Amino acid sequence: MYCSKILKLTCTFALATLFMAPASAQTTVYRLPGQHNAEHQDLIAGQINVKDQVKAEATQQLMDNFFTEEEEPEFDIYEEGWGSQRVNCYNEKDVPQTRVINVANFAMPCDGYVTSPYGYRRRFRRMHKGIDLKVQTGDTVYAAFNGKVRLTKYERRGYGYYVVIRHENELETVYGHLSKFLVEPDQYVKAGDPIALGGNTGRSFGSHLHFETRFMGYAINPSAIFDFANQTVHTDEYTFDKNTFTHARDFSPAANAEHQRRYMAEQSKRPKKPAATSGKSNKNKSARSYTVRKGDSLSRIASRNGTTVKNICRLNGITSSTTLRPGQKLKLK
């Protein structure tokens, strides 16, 4: 009974307190219970410090996962030695022992047969670093692969007029003894594009194309890449090796002889072309005289004008060792 009275009084007091609450209670600021505040502080204290956790290595790993298909930037092949005026402009100490080179996208530089192979020449006591292919003066010479022209130059006692092209597959090709350029330095060419006309300039004893294939300065035997008798490449990939780059692949003298026979038969059917003897143009071919310019030599004048040093000397009463003066007039006919 006593407990029941106490319970009633307690409930009555609680109800009275509720209904007697002032109207201003609606604007009262309610505060979080102390227990909730403590939990909130514990949560903040337990959070991970992002500054201490995000490392450069983790960020790189994350980016690698996002861009798994993205490749490294390509090495600029038109950089090393690009401004050099030499055929070999590379530092050979950096050349790898082996390298697989894609040669699938190719064009034959000409359709001629091999007149002189790659290798050591006892007669001249030096290495023949390319291969000689038969062309007629004025025949078109083509780029072997896609790439950019690095040099168009004249060398009196060597290549004559020659072109050097650096290709996308990292090879360089050299085309020598030309009669006329059809391209200029820094020009991009595709495999099979005309780049020059064949000729007989420089140290040459008859119209032909001197053709070289080089990898970072190493003169590879062109017959290791090209099957000249069948006018194709041996395989779509060539493996350069410092120990074997001078070796030919499947070279067959009999196949070359058969190719020569077919080539000569085709040549006999072609109408004869006028000879192209100038490295730039044929304007001076019919000239009767020539005015010497600075840097000229008798051999260069003869080459540009379709004549010989002997003939110029005979017509002008001079010798091959005569010093030429700028402005001097020379008879050509």
Side-chain angles (χ1 to χ4, degrees):
M1 178 70 72
Y2 180 78
C3 292
S4 177
K5 289 180 178 182
I6 292 175
L7 181 61
K8 287 180 180 180
L9 286 171
T10 302
C11 291
T12 302
F13 179 78
L15 289 171
T17 303
L18 178 63
F19 286 107
M20 291 173 65
S24 62
Q26 293 179 2
T27 60
T28 301
V29 177
Y30 294 97
R31 300 183 182 279
L32 294 173
Q35 183 179 359
H36 186 79
N37 257 335
E39 291 175 354
H40 184 64
Q41 293 299 324
D42 290 342
L43 180 63
I44 293 174
Q47 284 182 347
I48 296 172
N49 191 332
V50 175
K51 180 178 69 176
D52 295 335
Q53 294 297 317
V54 178
K55 305 292 184 184
E57 295 172 339
T59 304
Q60 185 60 54
Q61 290 176 357
L62 179 66
M63 296 301 290
D64 289 344
N65 289 335
F66 273 126
F67 302 106
T68 54
E69 298 300 320
E70 188 166 336
E71 298 178 352
E72 290 289 325
E74 287 189 7
F75 171 71
D76 188 356
I77 62 169
Y78 306 119
E79 189 173 87
E80 185 174 351
W82 190 256
S84 172
Q85 293 296 300
R86 302 179 61 185
V87 171
N88 182 7
C89 61
Y90 286 95
N91 183 354
E92 295 184 0
K93 71 177 183 180
D94 298 326
V95 181
Q97 179 64 35
T98 63
R99 176 69 64 85
V100 176
I101 300 170
N102 189 326
V103 294
N105 182 23
F106 77 97
M108 300 302 292
C110 67
D111 60 359
Y113 58 91
V114 177
T115 60
S116 182
Y118 174 100
Y120 184 75
R121 287 180 165 178
R122 292 183 181 179
R123 177 184 175 187
F124 300 108
R125 296 182 181 179
R126 62 181 176 84
M127 186 71 176
H128 185 221
K129 294 183 178 180
I131 200 164
D132 291 344
L133 302 169
K134 182 59 182 175
V135 295
Q136 306 297 329
T137 297
D139 281 354
T140 305
V141 176
Y142 304 94
F145 306 101
N146 296 346
K148 191 183 288 188
V149 178
R150 182 166 70 81
L151 279 180
T152 58
K153 198 174 176 182
Y154 178 77
E155 185 180 275
R156 182 169 66 88
R157 296 187 178 181
Y159 293 104
Y161 290 106
Y162 69 97
V163 173
V164 179
I165 303 177
R166 185 172 297 179
H167 301 288
E168 294 171 353
N169 59 10
E170 296 187 77
L171 288 178
E172 281 198 340
T173 50
V174 183
Y175 311 77
H177 307 307
L178 307 170
S179 62
K180 184 177 181 180
F181 301 136
L182 301 179
V183 292
E184 56 188 20
D186 294 320
Q187 181 177 335
Y188 180 81
V189 294
K190 292 183 178 181
D193 281 354
I195 59 169
L197 301 183
N200 184 27
T201 59
R203 190 171 183 174
S204 172
F205 303 97
S207 296
H208 71 281
L209 172 67
H210 174 82
F211 178 63
E212 295 182 12
T213 48
R214 290 174 173 262
F215 174 66
M216 298 187 74
Y218 279 73
I220 300 167
N221 189 335
S223 292
I225 299 173
F226 291 93
D227 179 353
F228 294 100
N230 293 297
Q231 295 286 282
T232 185
V233 289
H234 292 292
T235 54
D236 287 346
E237 290 183 339
Y238 165 72
T239 301
F240 166 82
D241 189 310
K242 284 184 177 179
N243 297 327
T244 61
F245 71 94
T246 61
H247 300 172
R249 189 190 305 186
D250 300 329
F251 179 73
S252 171
N256 187 63
E258 175 59 22
H259 178 51
Q260 177 181 351
R261 185 192 64 77
R262 293 195 305 268
Y263 174 86
M264 298 303 291
E266 288 296 322
Q267 288 295 314
S268 65
K269 299 175 185 177
R270 294 182 184 178
K272 290 190 176 181
K273 301 177 183 178
T277 57
S278 170
K280 297 293 182 182
S281 69
N282 298 324
K283 292 180 180 179
N284 296 329
K285 186 181 175 185
S286 59
R288 302 188 67 85
S289 64
Y290 179 83
T291 302
V292 177
R293 293 176 290 183
K294 186 177 180 180
D296 273 341
S297 64
L298 284 173
S299 59
R300 177 176 291 189
I301 295 169
S303 177
R304 286 180 173 176
N305 292 277
T307 185
T308 64
V309 171
K310 184 178 180 180
N311 190 48
I312 294 176
C313 291
R314 180 181 59 81
L315 290 171
N316 294 275
I318 60 177
T319 67
S320 58
S321 60
T322 297
T323 301
L324 301 179
R325 303 183 310 277
Q328 180 180 353
K329 291 279 188 180
L330 293 177
K331 295 179 182 177
L332 299 178
K333 292 185 179 181

